[in-house]
Amino acid sequence: GAAGGKAILFKEFGKLDSFDVEVDQVDPEKFIEAVVAISPTFGGINIEDVKAPECFYIEKEVQKRCNIPIMHDDQHGTAIVAGGAILNSLELINKNIEDIKVIVSGCGAAGFTCAKYFVELGVKKENLIALDIAGVVHKTRKDLGDNPDVYLNE
């Protein structure tokens, strides 16, 4: 599976030993407790296949409670690859990142973090539109909860 493939990548490119640990838990608090409880065994934890919006809370909480690197691969792994693709493409066509317009179609764990990373790389917020199943992700949406981190556009 994907986790086994990532273990090979960690070994080949980072000289790190890794293995897959399955946590069969859908309750975010219990999932967090399980990850925190096993964390002293590891030098870092790569969380995989946790859906939005729970993934944002879970990653933040696990990072707060552990003293090792914690990463949610669905978010950050995808954002790093997509960000690299944008930067390489811009180099090929000789454009500046602050001059482009970006649309992110699908704003779950990966799409949302990609959009945030694109802004960190230099895409102007006003030039980025992120869409999910209900439309544009923006502050006037009532279905996104009260977390200010989820709003990409005014």
Side-chain angles (χ1 to χ4, degrees), residues 51-102:
K51 68 180 178 64
E54 294 87 353
C55 66
F56 305 119
Y57 170 70
I58 287 171
E59 183 189 37
K60 257 186 206 167
E61 278 303 305
V62 173
Q63 286 172 337
K64 276 198 287 189
R65 299 182 197 183
C66 295
N67 58 3
I68 60 171
I70 306 292
M71 181 181 95
H72 181 224
D73 185 71
D74 301 353
Q75 294 179 64
H76 308 294
T78 305
I80 289 166
V81 171
I86 285 179
L87 294 175
N88 287 335
S89 299
L90 291 172
E91 187 175 320
L92 287 173
I93 62 172
N94 201 26
K95 281 196 170 192
N96 295 318
I97 196 163
E98 55 275 350
D99 298 330
I100 66 170
K101 294 182 180 181
V102 176

Side-chain angles (χ1 to χ4, degrees), residues 60-153:
K60 257 186 206 167
E61 278 303 305
V62 173
Q63 286 172 337
K64 276 198 287 189
R65 299 182 197 183
C66 295
N67 58 3
I68 60 171
I70 306 292
M71 181 181 95
H72 181 224
D73 185 71
D74 301 353
Q75 294 179 64
H76 308 294
T78 305
I80 289 166
V81 171
I86 285 179
L87 294 175
N88 287 335
S89 299
L90 291 172
E91 187 175 320
L92 287 173
I93 62 172
N94 201 26
K95 281 196 170 192
N96 295 318
I97 196 163
E98 55 275 350
D99 298 330
I100 66 170
K101 294 182 180 181
V102 176
I103 296 175
V104 176
S105 179
C107 206
F112 178 75
T113 305
C114 284
K116 280 180 37 179
Y117 187 52
F118 299 161
V119 171
E120 287 177 29
L121 289 174
V123 172
K124 293 179 182 172
K125 253 188 165 180
E126 60 269 18
N127 288 346
L128 185 140
I129 298 173
L131 301 117
D132 65 9
I133 197 165
V136 176
V137 177
H138 57 84
K139 282 190 177 183
T140 60
R141 289 260 306 263
K142 303 294 183 212
D143 60 328
L144 296 174
D146 58 0
N147 180 356
D149 293 338
V150 303
Y151 302 113
L152 296 167
N153 297 82

Side-chain angles (χ1 to χ4, degrees), residues 30-48:
K30 290 180 180 175
F31 182 86
I32 291 165
E33 289 171 16
V35 173
V36 170
I38 64 170
S39 68
T41 305
F42 303 102
I45 294 177
N46 180 32
I47 298 172
E48 181 81 33

